[in-house]
């Protein structure tokens, strides 16, 4: 199945240099503690989902280092009208090693309904108040990957050399009401 991936380009708060998550460049956010406000990541403008596609799943990938979370931060996504249930980001490394973690997946819709438009407008929240006291994390990058199935395209037939007298009807339109035919779309 085809996929499309994008970095965020907007954050709700920048008290921890959260804009450093906009690229996989080894530039980390400042240290994030349990007292840090929730951060919303949005602006995934590089997501290219064709009209008529069916959204199959959404994956969030995070490259980060931490000092071993106790209770983990919570992640939730929104399709613009509804939020998913929160998911614990509990698969963090137990050392300060930089590690990539993924949440969701190619067939995980996070309990929400999606269209190409709502998937392209996705945003998600990290709630850090769930972390155990004394824990910390730093992010290098965050991406969203949308897995989809393309919709079927209508068949297009070009009619250039058919005499008007040989056209009886096109989808119920009598030939007397057809002035010119250049392209006919059958769905």
């Amino acid at each position: 199945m085809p996929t499309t991936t994008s970095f965020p380009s907007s954050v709700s708060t920048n008290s921890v240099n959260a804009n450093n998550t906009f690229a996989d460049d080894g530039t980390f956010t400042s240290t994030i503690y349990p007292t840090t406000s929730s951060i919303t990541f949005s602006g995934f403008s590089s997501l290219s989902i064709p009209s008529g596609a069916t959204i199959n799943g959404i994956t969030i990938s995070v490259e980060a280092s931490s000092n071993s979370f106790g209770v983990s931060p919570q992640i939730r996504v929104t399709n613009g009208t509804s939020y998913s249930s929160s998911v614990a980001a509990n698969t963090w490394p137990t050392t300060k090693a930089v590690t990539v973690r993924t949440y969701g997946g190619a067939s995980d819709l996070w309990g929400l309904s999606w269209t190409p438009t709502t998937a392209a407008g996705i945003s998600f929240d990290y709630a850090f108040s769930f972390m155990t006291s004394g824990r910390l994390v730093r992010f290098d990058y965050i991406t969203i990957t949308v897995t989809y199935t393309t919709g079927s395209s209508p068949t297009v037939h070009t009619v250039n050399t058919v005499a008007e007298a040989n056209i009886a009807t096109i989808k119920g339109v009598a030939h007397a009401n057809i002035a010119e035919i250049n392209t006919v779309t059958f769905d």
Side-chain angles (χ1 to χ4, degrees):
M1 282 185 259
T3 62
T4 181
T5 301
S6 181
F7 295 97
S9 62
S10 182
V11 293
S12 61
T13 181
N14 219 4
S15 62
V16 294
N17 297 318
N19 59 311
N20 287 344
T21 62
F22 297 174
D24 180 6
D25 59 5
T27 305
F28 285 79
T29 62
S30 302
T31 302
I32 300 170
Y33 298 98
T35 56
T36 303
S37 299
S38 294
I39 299 175
T40 300
F41 296 90
S42 59
F44 296 91
S45 59
S46 296
L47 292 174
S48 178
I49 306 165
S51 177
T54 299
I55 307 305
N56 301 109
I58 296 170
T59 305
I60 298 172
S61 296
V62 179
E63 183 176 83
S65 70
S66 71
N67 71 341
S68 174
F69 284 148
V71 176
S72 301
Q74 300 284 309
I75 302 171
R76 67 180 185 162
V77 299
T78 181
N79 61 8
T81 56
S82 300
Y83 280 95
S84 68
S85 297
S86 293
V87 174
N90 59 3
T91 57
W92 293 92
T94 56
T95 67
K96 292 184 181 180
V98 176
T99 307
V100 176
R101 297 294 183 217
T102 59
Y103 306 95
S107 61
D108 187 343
L109 296 174
W110 295 72
L112 300 174
S113 297
W114 299 93
T115 66
T117 302
T118 59
I122 190 172
S123 65
F124 74 93
D125 299 335
Y126 254 112
F128 298 101
S129 61
F130 289 91
M131 289 194 313
T132 301
S133 178
R135 303 304 189 214
L136 59 88
V137 65
R138 297 180 320 129
F139 295 139
D140 174 22
Y141 72 82
I142 295 173
T143 61
I144 294 263
T145 299
V146 177
T147 304
Y148 61 91
T149 305
T150 56
S152 60
S153 301
T155 305
V156 176
H157 301 278
T158 302
V159 180
N160 288 323
T161 58
V162 178
E164 180 183 344
N166 294 330
I167 301 171
T169 63
I170 295 179
K171 286 199 170 194
V173 178
H175 89 297
N177 295 327
I178 301 170
E180 180 180 346
I181 300 174
N182 290 319
T183 302
V184 178
T185 302
F186 297 94
D187 42 45

